[in-house]
Amino acid sequence: MYEYLPSRPDRLICDDPIGVFDSGVGGLSVLREIRRELPTEHLLYVADSGHAPYGDKPRDIITERSLVVAQWLVDQGAKAIVVACNTATGAAAATLRTRFELPIIAMEPALKPAVSLTRSGVVGVLATSQTLASDKFEALRGRFDKQARVLVQPCPGLVERIEAGDLHSESTSALIADYVLPLLAQGADTLVLGCTHYPLVRPLIQQIAGDQVIIADAGVAVARQLRHRLTRQRLLSTRNASGHDRFWSSGHPDKATALIATLWERPVSVGQLTAMCPCEQ
Ligand code: DGL
């Protein structure tokens, strides 16, 4: 793997922005909670849609892309990085923490709340194949599988549909049903959305699963964790006004702008991210 120089910003300043990234638009489900929790912070968001999905790529490719995008955010002046992607967390969070000397906040599927909420004692985790195969997830599962039966379900194809903006169609609904119904048939009454794209189709998931099924995701917890880390490191913004949101994508610029505007529910301008891995240059 290419040797990156460890990035050591001389001085992290509290009014610098927070950098957030995902393999695509999924991390907007986390960004939404960060914006709610920290209204005065400036937020930079990178959707690496030109390389999505990460979920079926080899681990070293996911790590390379995560390093490139995180370095790019650091170069834009980010004071902290949020890895708003479970797949990148499983593959690359540990490497990012060794390479960057700034707070790195990453995802953890919401298994802890799920095992405390289940009444049937059966929890279903929906995530990408890479997340479910990661050591990090195996360790998480090991912490909770005495308290509840934990079923796992990879969801190939779902991230691609969400990236294509296909959030409400019959075929997306049918794909979700293929993944969710077998979990319910095995007794799951609580579903963990272990991929940040999935909260973007939460209404469909809830409709298919039924109102009695509890759905847990980690967006709010990550936003709180970010606030906690920034407070502890005296990096919370001192600004009184609202922070701005800026967006970049490595995907097709027009498509990215239209999709991010729809999901963010306001007009946005989306910059083109051209940062490449050394192996791609
Ligand atoms: N949002 C990413 C996650 O949380 C999606 C992964 C992918 O690109 O496959 O895992």
Side-chain angles (χ1 to χ4, degrees), residues 53-118:
Y54 282 2
D56 52 12
K57 291 201 168 49
R59 186 185 167 135
D60 57 338
I61 302 282
I62 302 167
T63 304
E64 287 275 342
R65 283 308 304 168
S66 301
L67 283 165
V68 165
V69 174
Q71 182 64 63
W72 188 85
L73 286 164
V74 169
D75 293 344
Q76 307 312 302
K79 65 182 173 186
I81 302 283
V82 179
V83 185
C85 177
N86 291 271
T87 309
T89 296
T95 307
L96 292 174
R97 289 195 172 109
T98 64
R99 304 290 173 93
F100 297 99
E101 291 191 6
L102 73 181
I104 305 241
I105 290 83
M107 303 302 300
E108 178 175 285
L111 208 46
K112 186 176 178 187
V115 297
S116 69
L117 290 168
T118 178

Side-chain angles (χ1 to χ4, degrees), residues 184-207:
L184 304 185
Q186 292 172 80
D189 69 347
T190 303
L191 298 176
V192 174
L193 306 186
C195 166
T196 56
H197 279 73
Y198 304 165
L200 302 176
V201 288
R202 188 180 179 133
L204 268 188
I205 298 173
Q206 191 78 68
Q207 193 187 323

Side-chain angles (χ1 to χ4, degrees), residues 249 252-262 266 268-271:
S249 171
H252 187 286
D254 295 344
K255 282 189 192 155
T257 304
L259 183 57
I260 293 175
T262 302
R266 71 197 69 151
V268 292
S269 106
V270 178

Side-chain angles (χ1 to χ4, degrees), residues 234-254:
R234 298 181 193 283
L235 281 172
L236 264 189
S237 164
T238 54
R239 202 176 296 112
N240 287 322
S242 300
H244 61 228
D245 313 316
R246 299 225 164 111
F247 300 91
W248 287 265
S249 171
S250 57
H252 187 286
D254 295 344

Side-chain angles (χ1 to χ4, degrees), residues 2-244:
Y2 176 79
E3 272 309 303
Y4 287 77
L5 289 175
S7 177
R8 187 191 302 232
D10 289 339
R11 213 155 45 103
L12 296 173
I13 300 172
C14 43
D15 286 332
D16 284 347
I18 297 163
V20 181
F21 78 92
D22 175 45
S23 64
V25 293
L28 293 172
S29 67
V30 181
L31 195 74
R32 190 162 63 195
E33 302 305 338
I34 295 174
R35 176 44 77 224
R36 239 176 240 150
E37 183 74 22
L38 297 166
T40 65
E41 297 286 346
H42 287 330
L43 304 177
L44 313 178
Y45 183 84
V46 170
D48 197 18
S49 299
H51 299 86
Y54 282 2
D56 52 12
K57 291 201 168 49
R59 186 185 167 135
D60 57 338
I61 302 282
I62 302 167
T63 304
E64 287 275 342
R65 283 308 304 168
S66 301
L67 283 165
V68 165
V69 174
Q71 182 64 63
W72 188 85
L73 286 164
V74 169
D75 293 344
Q76 307 312 302
K79 65 182 173 186
I81 302 283
V82 179
V83 185
C85 177
N86 291 271
T87 309
T89 296
T95 307
L96 292 174
R97 289 195 172 109
T98 64
R99 304 290 173 93
F100 297 99
E101 291 191 6
L102 73 181
I104 305 241
I105 290 83
M107 303 302 300
E108 178 175 285
L111 208 46
K112 186 176 178 187
V115 297
S116 69
L117 290 168
T118 178
R119 294 154 305 214
S120 67
V122 186
V123 168
V125 181
L126 302 161
T128 68
S129 310
Q130 268 291 0
T131 294
L132 297 174
S134 68
D135 296 344
K136 213 168 163 47
F137 180 76
E138 209 36 60
L140 178 71
R141 186 179 183 171
R143 270 165 53 206
F144 294 107
D145 63 3
K146 300 226 170 22
Q147 294 167 53
R149 191 168 159 230
V150 178
L151 309 172
V152 299
Q153 176 63 61
C155 306
L158 187 51
V159 164
E160 288 90 325
R161 283 185 176 273
I162 295 167
E163 285 293 311
D166 186 4
L167 306 177
H168 309 286
S169 72
E170 289 283 315
S171 51
T172 299
S173 182
L175 187 67
I176 293 171
D178 283 348
Y179 297 140
V180 165
L181 296 179
L183 296 172
L184 304 185
Q186 292 172 80
D189 69 347
T190 303
L191 298 176
V192 174
L193 306 186
C195 166
T196 56
H197 279 73
Y198 304 165
L200 302 176
V201 288
R202 188 180 179 133
L204 268 188
I205 298 173
Q206 191 78 68
Q207 193 187 323
I208 289 159
D211 288 345
Q212 301 307 309
V213 169
I214 299 163
I215 297 181
D217 82 83
V220 172
V222 165
R224 288 195 186 137
Q225 170 71 1
L226 172 63
R227 169 190 275 285
H228 180 72
R229 284 289 299 280
L230 294 178
T231 306
R232 214 175 60 200
Q233 296 191 230
R234 298 181 193 283
L235 281 172
L236 264 189
S237 164
T238 54
R239 202 176 296 112
N240 287 322
S242 300
H244 61 228

